[in-house]
Amino acid sequence: MSEDISQYFAQFLPIEREKLDIFLSKFKAKSLKKGDYFIQEGQVSREVGFITKGAMLCAYNKNGEVIIDEFSLDKEFITDYNSFLTNTPADKDVTCLEDTELMVISYNDLQELYTLDAAFEKVGRLMAEALFMGWQQKAKSLMLDDAETRYLKLISRRPDLPQRVPQYLIASYLGVKPETLSRIRKKLVKN
Amino acid sequence: MSEDISQYFAQFLPIEREKLDIFLSKFKAKSLKKGDYFIQEGQVSREVGFITKGAMLCAYNKNGEVIIDEFSLDKEFITDYNSFLTNTPADKDVTCLEDTELMVISYNDLQELYTLDAAFEKVGRLMAEALFMGWQQKAKSLMLDDAETRYLKLISRRPDLPQRVPQYLIASYLGVKPETLSRIRKKLVKN
DNA sequence: CGTTCAGTTGACTAAGGTCAATTCCCGTGG
DNA sequence: CCACGGGAATTGACCTTAGTCAACTGAACG
């Protein structure tokens, strides 16, 4: 629903209803089934998606091995921004862990909005800044935290994750093997 | 010199000379000595710096241990963007590895520019997008690459770095101990 | 009921960390 | 000009920790 996107923006950005409606009018609904690709490595990502319902997975492929970059659940934006912004092939896969409903906006529509009104340019800037700070936090955690700490942070940030995704994918996200995550969890319940 | 900033923007952003001059007029020169702080953990960063000459170091403090986040050399922007953008205390130190000359712009001046003209808003968006993609690349490398690969990437990206900074700081950047970097280097020359 | 696959557990291995000793480099002062 | 001192870098011996491999358990599904 468009209302979900409205609420998402309202939480961090004051924008007039009228302009918000123009913005929302550019989004189109998209339905994907569990296992479907939203973005495939090597192809250019030409749209940004907003997940209204469902769960998706960003993953790198390291010579055969799947490395989870991020889980994206309801009420989040998703794309390969690098591919989207620079019109170059994506370096990751984005797939659906569950049947997923999206609202998508195309690159061209977004650029058109930017030229239309400085308010949209500002939305773009604030979103880029927010994304940027999120990635910075992620890099910081990768530099400073061990797997156990990152596990605890992940489940506190996304408490429903263990119910929705298999544990071996969480292990991949943490950068450890499933056996190691199993041992981390065992140690945690003992304490 | 202002000209360095002009060139920096020219390389990735078309902006009219007139507007660029307004932008540049907001920058002030700042000189720091080797060892000086540009940003101190716990204090709010209220300005963005552009290094015209010198070398700086972003570092986290992990209970006493220094963890290098990034080296910043000539012709680069620098601040704790998270602190700068959200007006919250910085979570890292930024110090000078060498005597350093900067051009700095304040948060208020930057926000004023944003309201002045959509062109500035656009500059802000493009810079945020560029920063964002840089951090994404960094996180990707932290997830996928081992210390040896990250070392090779670092010295190919910044060939002069080994001459300018001690090796134990590079080890810290790579997330390994000085002994380990020494062994990595030994192995590399043998091959 | 049996197959399948995720998750757990144990034994072993390998890679990086730790600690200590030694060498190298460079600036300072005799 | 050379000797010395101190921090950086290297090297070796040992230890800790996560990875590997294999066996086993358990829940889900036909």
Side-chain angles (χ1 to χ4, degrees):
Chain A
M1 316 266 31
S2 291
E3 271 319 302
D4 288 321
I5 309 187
S6 312
Q7 281 176 25
Y8 179 91
F9 282 120
Q11 74 184 62
F12 77 105
L13 175 68
I15 187 172
E16 297 127 66
R17 184 74 227 179
E18 188 188 336
K19 286 174 184 171
L20 186 57
D21 285 339
I22 298 174
F23 185 63
L24 295 176
S25 72
K26 300 294 184 182
F27 282 84
K28 293 176 184 60
K30 188 169 201 168
S31 288
L32 293 171
K33 291 286 175 194
K34 181 175 176 174
D36 284 355
Y37 282 86
F38 178 57
I39 297 169
Q40 207 157 358
E41 187 186 341
Q43 298 186 345
V44 176
S45 171
R46 300 190 191 280
E47 49 190 27
V48 178
F50 179 84
I51 305 174
T52 50
K53 184 172 186 330
M56 304 179 87
L57 196 61
C58 304
Y60 293 105
N61 186 317
K62 188 184 178 183
N63 32 272
E65 188 188 359
V66 172
I67 311 276
I68 305 301
D69 175 28
E70 197 54 75
F71 302 99
S72 296
L73 307 184
D74 321 63
K75 324 286 179 232
E76 291 179 22
F77 278 95
I78 187 162
T79 194
D80 181 325
Y81 288 98
N82 212 313
S83 171
F84 179 78
L85 293 173
T86 62
N87 204 40
T88 52
D91 60 359
K92 56 173 82 92
D93 288 324
V94 179
T95 56
C96 296
L97 270 166
E98 307 171 357
D99 292 356
T100 298
E101 302 295 324
L102 295 153
M103 301 293 290
V104 300
I105 184 170
S106 73
Y107 179 83
N108 289 337
D109 283 347
L110 186 60
Q111 297 304 317
E112 194 191 317
L113 285 175
Y114 285 156
T115 62
L116 209 64
D117 192 311
F120 295 123
E121 196 71 76
K122 181 169 187 168
V123 171
R125 175 174 62 83
L126 291 172
M127 283 193 60
E129 287 176 357
L131 284 165
F132 158 49
M133 289 188 280
W135 278 93
Q136 190 176 342
Q137 284 306 113
K138 181 185 176 90
K140 180 185 176 186
S141 182
L142 285 166
M143 283 186 281
L144 299 182
D145 300 334
D146 60 19
E148 180 177 325
T149 305
R150 298 215 305 126
Y151 175 70
L152 292 170
K153 283 186 179 176
L154 181 68
I155 58 175
S156 96
R157 184 160 56 94
R158 304 188 184 277
D160 53 340
L161 205 62
Q163 280 73 54
R164 292 173 78 171
V165 316
Q167 192 168 307
Y168 70 92
L169 291 180
I170 296 177
S172 165
Y173 172 88
L174 297 175
V176 298
K177 299 288 151 187
E179 294 94 327
T180 302
L181 177 53
S182 175
R183 289 173 179 126
I184 287 170
R185 282 161 43 81
K186 187 181 180 183
K187 205 189 101 206
L188 286 171
V189 296
K190 275 200 299 195
N191 303 350
Chain B
M1 314 268 29
S2 291
E3 272 319 301
D4 288 321
I5 309 186
S6 311
Q7 281 176 26
Y8 179 89
F9 281 120
Q11 74 183 63
F12 79 103
L13 177 68
I15 186 171
E16 297 129 63
R17 185 73 226 181
E18 189 187 335
K19 286 173 184 170
L20 186 58
D21 285 339
I22 298 174
F23 185 64
L24 295 176
S25 72
K26 300 294 183 182
F27 283 83
K28 293 176 183 61
K30 188 169 201 169
S31 287
L32 294 172
K33 291 287 174 193
K34 181 174 177 174
D36 285 354
Y37 283 86
F38 178 57
I39 297 169
Q40 208 157 357
E41 187 185 341
Q43 299 188 342
V44 176
S45 171
R46 300 191 192 280
E47 49 191 26
V48 179
F50 179 84
I51 305 174
T52 51
K53 184 170 185 337
M56 302 179 87
L57 197 59
C58 304
Y60 294 105
N61 186 319
K62 188 184 180 185
N63 32 273
E65 188 188 0
V66 171
I67 309 277
I68 306 301
D69 176 25
E70 195 55 74
F71 302 98
S72 295
L73 308 183
D74 320 64
K75 324 287 179 230
E76 291 179 23
F77 278 96
I78 188 161
T79 194
D80 181 325
Y81 288 98
N82 211 313
S83 170
F84 179 79
L85 293 173
T86 62
N87 204 39
T88 52
D91 61 359
K92 58 174 81 90
D93 288 324
V94 179
T95 56
C96 296
L97 270 166
E98 308 171 355
D99 293 356
T100 298
E101 302 295 323
L102 294 154
M103 301 293 290
V104 302
I105 185 170
S106 74
Y107 180 83
N108 289 338
D109 282 346
L110 186 60
Q111 296 305 318
E112 195 192 314
L113 285 176
Y114 284 157
T115 61
L116 210 64
D117 191 312
F120 295 123
E121 197 69 79
K122 181 168 187 168
V123 170
R125 175 173 61 81
L126 291 172
M127 282 193 61
E129 287 176 357
L131 285 165
F132 158 49
M133 289 188 281
W135 279 93
Q136 189 175 343
Q137 284 305 113
K138 181 184 175 92
K140 180 185 176 185
S141 181
L142 285 166
M143 284 186 280
L144 299 182
D145 299 335
D146 59 18
E148 180 178 324
T149 305
R150 298 216 306 126
Y151 175 70
L152 292 171
K153 283 186 179 177
L154 180 69
I155 58 175
S156 94
R157 185 160 55 95
R158 303 187 183 277
D160 52 341
L161 205 63
Q163 278 75 53
R164 292 174 78 170
V165 316
Q167 193 168 305
Y168 70 92
L169 292 179
I170 295 177
S172 165
Y173 172 88
L174 298 174
V176 298
K177 299 291 149 185
E179 294 93 326
T180 302
L181 177 54
S182 176
R183 288 175 179 124
I184 287 170
R185 282 162 43 81
K186 188 182 180 181
K187 204 190 102 207
L188 286 171
V189 295
K190 274 201 297 196
N191 301 351

